[in-house]
Amino acid sequence: MSLDHLVQKTKQQFTVKFNQAPRWLAAAPGRVNVIGEHTDYNDGFVLPMAIENCTLAAAAPASNGAMRLRLCSGEKPEMVEIPLNGKVARGEPAWANYVRGVIAGFQDLGIQLPALDIFIESDVPLGGGLSSSASLEVATATLLEVVTSRQLDPVQKALLCQKAEHEYAGMPCGIMDQFISVMGKAGHLLLLDCRSRQTELVPMNDPKLSFLIVNTNVKHELTGGGYARRREQCYEAARVLGVPMLRDATLAQLEAAKDRLDPVVYRRARHVIGEIERTTQAAREIKAGNWAVVGQLMYASHDSLRDDYEVSCPELDTVVELARNIGPSGGVIGCRMTGGGFGGCAVALVEAARVEQLTRQITQGYVKRTGIQPSCFVSRPANGARVIAS
Ligand code: ADP
Ligand code: MG
């Protein structure tokens, strides 16, 4: 859906729900991570981009003057009431906690909110690995900034949204999703140092290139705490290597310590150390326009996630294999799984002119091999959060 279309839909729905037109409108994008997976909790680098799919948040002053917010989403049409007399607390329905947490963040800053009617609309798929949750938080924060005429510093704003996800939605996420949703810029990726929180916009505006995001539409349940276990293995590797975090280790150091490491822990560390290197290298190669190398780095990232980190799954491997087989002559430059793994999305760097044909080819191949219908999204690196009506 185009942003204009989404804006029109939001205005219409708002008016139906609240019997008045919205006064303020803000948008925040979903995201896809181009490279740098499972590096964030090792103090490493990630290289995401904002996508064209957005969450919109619209508001108007509530007409009856009561000190509460009324909140509604196109995805979850029940009306939610949020009292404003005192600190906002978690509650039901669960989806509203993302919004409650952001409101609480504004309250913590001593910012007084007026009684409001709020409506949320989105074309970021919910739970599809494209970070609808961060886009909801950041759209809400951007809306509250314009409502209260208080502009937050971008880092402070992203951290406020992350805190909402931690404390109100109960999800201990890293900083990537909120940072890219706040700071994304059209025609750029964002190189984010998860240790220092420093960011660098990496230009990527070649009109011949685009990204094809393929949602496998599977989510395998993990037994045995797959995610927590991997974090522990990373910290164990760092201990044996004598470094604070795997960010501080080199592949040479790892090789030298191989005999002292459990073979599984060794492979986990090899992924992380290699992936951090690939991520900073990818940023350099993108700046230089060395697309073939960027593609190779994406495939190397996938292979490492599949073999060393063991977080891929047959469906993700199928998408990447289909893309690899199509290859440069068919318009695919590189492809990898993206996100935590065990399902979710793969991202491919492709020639923009061939994107429709590639979508068909990969969809057909995937359905044939798995019997599952994938969802495909095409996006160029898009803008971060913005105010649409003030
Ligand atoms: P992802 O961020 O990858 O899409 P999450 O599980 O982190 O997946 O977040 C999805 C949850 O965020 C949804 O289940 C819902 O609670 C909330 N959410 C996101 N967008 C919306 C929306 N537009 N309306 C209502 N709830 C939303
Ligand atoms: Mg999320």
Side-chain angles (χ1 to χ4, degrees), residues 134-257:
S135 70
L136 173 56
E137 293 146 13
V138 174
T140 303
T142 308
L143 178 75
L144 296 184
E145 283 183 309
V146 55
V147 166
T148 60
S149 307
R150 285 283 298 266
Q151 193 146 4
L152 307 184
D153 164 77
V155 171
Q156 178 190 30
K157 180 174 165 183
L159 294 175
L160 182 155
C161 291
Q162 185 204 24
K163 191 171 177 206
E165 184 137 354
H166 284 188
E167 295 183 3
Y168 279 71
M171 173 59 90
C173 58
I175 58 172
M176 170 169 72
D177 300 357
Q178 290 81 10
F179 268 66
I180 184 63
S181 189
V182 170
M183 296 173 206
K185 189 163 176 231
H188 295 77
L189 308 186
L190 188 75
L191 181 65
L192 168 60
D193 181 337
C194 297
R195 170 173 276 170
S196 68
R197 295 175 180 155
Q198 275 183 347
T199 57
E200 181 193 343
L201 285 165
V202 178
M204 166 140 202
N205 46 18
D206 186 331
K208 294 192 289 300
L209 300 178
S210 192
F211 288 91
L212 173 61
I213 301 157
V214 181
N215 189 343
T216 58
N217 284 330
V218 299
K219 190 82 221 160
H220 297 293
E221 286 308 320
L222 289 187
T223 50
Y227 181 73
R229 184 81 197 98
R230 278 168 184 72
R231 277 183 94 123
E232 281 163 26
Q233 288 164 333
C234 291
Y235 301 144
E236 185 186 330
R239 257 194 317 278
V240 174
L241 292 175
V243 292
M245 289 289 212
L246 284 180
R247 156 75 176 270
D248 305 297
T250 62
L251 284 173
Q253 268 174 299
L254 180 70
E255 287 311 315

